[in-house]
Amino acid sequence: MKITALNGFKDILPGDIELWQRVESTAREIFSRFQFSELRLPILEKTELFARSIGEATDIVEKEMYTFVDKGVTMRPETTAQMIRAYIEHGLYAQRPIQRLFTIGPMFRHERPQLGRLRQFHQLDAEVLGTDNPRIDAEVMAMGSMLLERLGISVSLEMNSLGCPECRPVFRQRLLAFLEERMDHLCDDCKRRSTTNPLRALDCKNPTCREQVADAPSILDNLCEGCADHFQVVRSCLDKLKVPYSLNKFMVRGLDYYCRTTFEFITGDLGAQSAVGGGGRYDGLVEKLGGPKKTPGIGFAMGLERLVLLLQQQEKEQEKRQEELDIFVAGLGPVASEVCFDLVHELRKQGLRVGIDHEGKSLKSQMKQADKAGATHVLIVGEDELARGEGVLRNMTNQEQQDIALDPQVIGTKVSGR
Ligand code: ATP
Ligand code: MG
C-alpha cells in the first residue's frame, strides 16, 4: 500500500522552495529596517493558552484546533498568543519597554483544504508589544505594505476599528437589536453566535447574511472618544506615510482579543482565499495572559502559502508575456506582402517580437494567427493603404485602430510605447 502525505499537509520541493526562500529573506530584510528581532517558538503549547486568548466561541477554538485531549496540549493555530506567553515568561518587557518581534513558521488548523487553505500552513508574524501609540499602528501596516510591495504583490489594505471594552459592548447591543429584527433570515452559524459574538454576523460569508447586514450600524459611528481619536491619528499617520487604505465596517476578525485598529491585506487573485494577511491591536491580552498590566500590543500575520501562490501566478504571467508577440504584420496581396517582408526585419532589428505569414493567407486567417500568438498589436497592410504609404495599426488590448506610416521607426515607437 502506498503511503501518502495527509490531506492538507504539503511537501515543499526544490523548484518551489526558491520562492519560499525569497519571501522569507525579503521579510527578514524589510522587518529589520523597522528594527524587529526574530524569535522561534515551539509548535505545541498548553491548550489553555489558545482557549483563553483566541476565545472559546471562535472558529479556531470551536472547530479548527489540533488538540491532544488527553495531554491538554494543542498544535499552535496562530502565534500571537504564544509570542505573548514567551514575552511574559522571559520577562522581555523588562529588557526593553517596547519590543518589536517577528517569527516565521508552521501553524495548524483543521479546515477544509483548498487552494490557499491547508491544515499545516506557514505564517510570517510580526508584533509590537508595550505601546498603544497610534503611530505604531501605522508603522506596522506600512511595514506589511512595504513587504508586499517589495515582493511585487498588489493588495488593498482594509481597516476598521473594533473599539474597546468601553464602547464595544454598547455597539454590540445596538447591533444585536438590529440583528434580532432579521434573525429569521440569518444562517444557523450567525443565529447561534448572536448570543456569544454577534459581531461575527458582519463578516459572515453567507450571501443572505451579507444582504441582511448591508445597512447594519457601523462600529466606526459608535466609538468612544478615546477610540475615535486613536483611529483618527492612525488614519492621518497612514496618510502621512502615503500608505493607501480603505475602511471596511464589516471587518471584525475572528478572534476575541482584538480591539481598536484591525486590518487585512486583500487580494483579488486567489478566489475565495482573499486575505493575504491580517492583524490588529490587542491591548488587554498581555494582562489577560498573566503579564504586566497596561501592556498594549499590535501585530499581523501573513500566510506564506498565499504569498507564494501569488508569486507563482506572477511568474506564469511573465512567462506568457515573454512568449507573446509585440506585433503581427498582415500583408494582403502580393505587393503588400513584399513590402511587409523587409519591414518586419527592420522591426525585429529594433528588438520587437514580430510575426508574419508568407503563405498569402486571408485577413481572417492572419488575424487568427496573430491572436493565437498573443500579439498585442497587428499591422494590416492592404493595397489601398499601401498606395498612401500607410497601414492600419490595431491595438489588440483595447481594439483601437489608427492609420500609421509604413516607417519602421514610427511603428516601433508606437508599439513599444517608448
Ligand atoms: P481566512 O479568512 O482566510 O480563514 P483568517 O482570518 O482565518 O483567514 P488569520 O488567522 O488572520 O486568517 O491568519 C493570517 C493569515 O494566515 C491569513 O490572512 C492567511 O493568509 C493565512 N492563513 C490562515 N489560515 C490559513 C490556512 N488554513 N491555510 C493557509 N493560509 C492560511
Ligand atoms: Mg480562517
Side-chain angles (χ1 to χ4, degrees):
M1 198 186 68
K2 202 167 72 180
I3 301 177
T4 56
L6 290 167
N7 192 16
F9 291 73
K10 256 193 165 168
D11 304 312
I12 305 162
L13 301 177
D16 284 335
I17 199 81
E18 291 75 9
L19 284 180
W20 285 77
Q21 289 165 339
R22 189 164 116 210
V23 173
E24 288 169 14
S25 61
T26 309
R28 287 198 170 88
E29 199 265 309
I30 298 289
F31 291 179
S32 73
R33 292 189 199 179
F34 288 78
Q35 215 189 349
F36 277 67
S37 312
E38 182 169 1
L39 48 78
R40 296 191 191 180
L41 301 161
I43 304 292
L44 279 182
E45 295 277 356
K46 290 182 184 151
T47 303
E48 197 194 342
L49 174 66
F50 302 116
R52 222 202 291 172
S53 58
I54 299 171
E56 300 276 1
T58 58
D59 284 354
I60 295 183
V61 174
E62 263 185 357
K63 53 191 185 200
E64 296 174 358
M65 291 207 307
Y66 281 94
T67 298
F68 297 86
V69 182
D70 54 337
K71 310 234 171 14
V73 298
T74 291
M75 295 170 78
R76 60 178 185 186
E78 59 106 44
T79 176
T80 306
Q82 63 167 181
M83 189 92 99
I84 294 172
R85 197 260 313 132
Y87 171 82
I88 299 169
E89 192 169 333
H90 304 288
L92 299 185
Y93 48 86
Q95 294 174 12
R96 253 190 224 174
I98 296 170
Q99 285 280 2
R100 296 166 177 243
L101 303 167
F102 79 96
T103 191
I104 306 178
M107 307 295 151
F108 303 83
R109 291 185 199 175
H110 192 266
E111 302 192 72
R112 196 166 65 79
Q114 50 197 295
L115 183 82
R117 193 177 291 288
L118 289 151
R119 290 180 170 173
Q120 174 175 338
F121 62 99
H122 299 74
Q123 282 185 344
L124 291 170
D125 186 270
E127 314 282 347
V128 181
L129 292 159
T131 171
D132 64 359
N133 191 323
R135 282 191 180 176
I136 294 288
D137 302 43
E139 232 188 284
V140 162
M141 284 182 268
M143 181 170 84
S145 296
M146 193 184 278
L147 170 61
L148 293 165
E149 201 179 310
R150 186 67 190 275
L151 290 169
I153 291 173
S154 70
V155 293
S156 54
L157 170 60
E158 295 187 359
M159 190 169 61
N160 196 13
S161 173
L162 292 182
C164 67
E166 192 187 314
C167 54
R168 190 157 22 163
V170 182
F171 172 70
R172 195 185 131 121
Q173 271 327 103
R174 204 162 284 172
L175 179 67
L176 196 56
F178 174 90
L179 293 175
E180 262 159 7
E181 283 168 26
R182 295 156 180 84
M183 201 57 84
D184 292 347
H185 306 285
L186 299 180
C187 73
D188 289 344
D189 271 347
C190 285
K191 280 191 189 120
R192 184 174 47 81
R193 287 191 301 230
S194 65
T195 48
T196 50
N197 192 353
L199 268 70
R200 293 300 308 279
L202 293 174
D203 75 348
C204 181
K205 303 272 188 315
N206 186 308
T208 327
C209 295
R210 279 193 172 186
E211 244 171 62
Q212 292 300 320
V213 301
D215 43 40
S218 165
I219 188 155
L220 293 176
D221 300 330
N222 288 277
L223 297 175
C224 63
E225 209 183 319
C227 288
D229 288 351
H230 190 272
F231 197 55
Q232 195 46 48
V233 181
V234 174
R235 294 185 59 178
S236 66
C237 287
L238 283 175
D239 291 340
K240 245 189 193 153
L241 301 183
K242 300 190 183 63
V243 174
Y245 68 89
S246 56
L247 297 180
N248 179 358
K249 68 167 187 171
F250 299 106
M251 184 174 57
V252 298
R253 312 277 301 134
L255 289 69
D256 277 4
Y257 55 60
Y258 285 120
C259 65
R260 291 194 165 172
T261 315
T262 48
F263 56 95
E264 279 182 354
F265 294 102
I266 302 289
T267 170
D269 300 331
L270 283 180
Q273 275 55 257
S274 59
V276 172
R281 190 160 266 298
Y282 43 82
D283 290 347
L285 187 56
V286 175
E287 187 176 339
K288 193 170 171 193
L289 291 175
K293 287 200 168 63
K294 295 207 169 61
T295 309
I298 181 168
F300 67 78
M302 283 191 192
L304 274 168
E305 278 75 10
R306 294 186 193 175
L307 296 178
V308 167
L309 273 171
L310 289 168
L311 290 179
Q312 280 168 340
Q313 283 181 9
Q314 246 178 40
E315 281 194 346
K316 264 194 209 135
E317 270 162 33
Q318 264 164 12
E319 276 166 26
K320 215 174 99 201
R321 238 176 282 136
Q322 266 161 17
E323 284 165 15
E324 280 169 359
L325 291 180
D326 295 310
I327 183 168
F328 189 94
V329 176
L332 306 177
V335 186
S337 169
E338 200 61 40
V339 172
C340 291
F341 183 56
D342 43 306
L343 174 67
V344 162
H345 193 63
E346 289 306 318
L347 292 172
R348 287 176 175 155
K349 275 191 192 160
Q350 292 178 33
L352 297 182
R353 292 169 298 233
V354 192
I356 183 169
D357 169 83
H358 296 302
E359 311 305 319
K361 290 273 164 52
S362 66
L363 176 63
K364 199 172 155 198
S365 157
Q366 295 198 52
M367 290 305 286
K368 253 196 204 152
Q369 292 179 50
D371 207 39
K372 219 171 146 190
T376 51
H377 294 83
V378 177
L379 178 70
I380 303 161
V381 186
E383 308 228 322
D384 291 352
E385 292 98 24
L386 189 61
R388 298 195 304 266
E390 285 182 345
V392 178
L393 184 69
R394 182 190 291 198
N395 181 325
M396 300 298 275
T397 332
N398 58 19
Q399 305 304 327
E400 274 173 19
Q401 293 202 157
Q402 66 174 114
D403 292 340
I404 194 163
L406 290 179
D407 174 333
Q409 285 308 327
V410 176
I411 298 168
T413 307
K414 187 79 203 165
V415 168
S416 61
R418 278 190 295 253

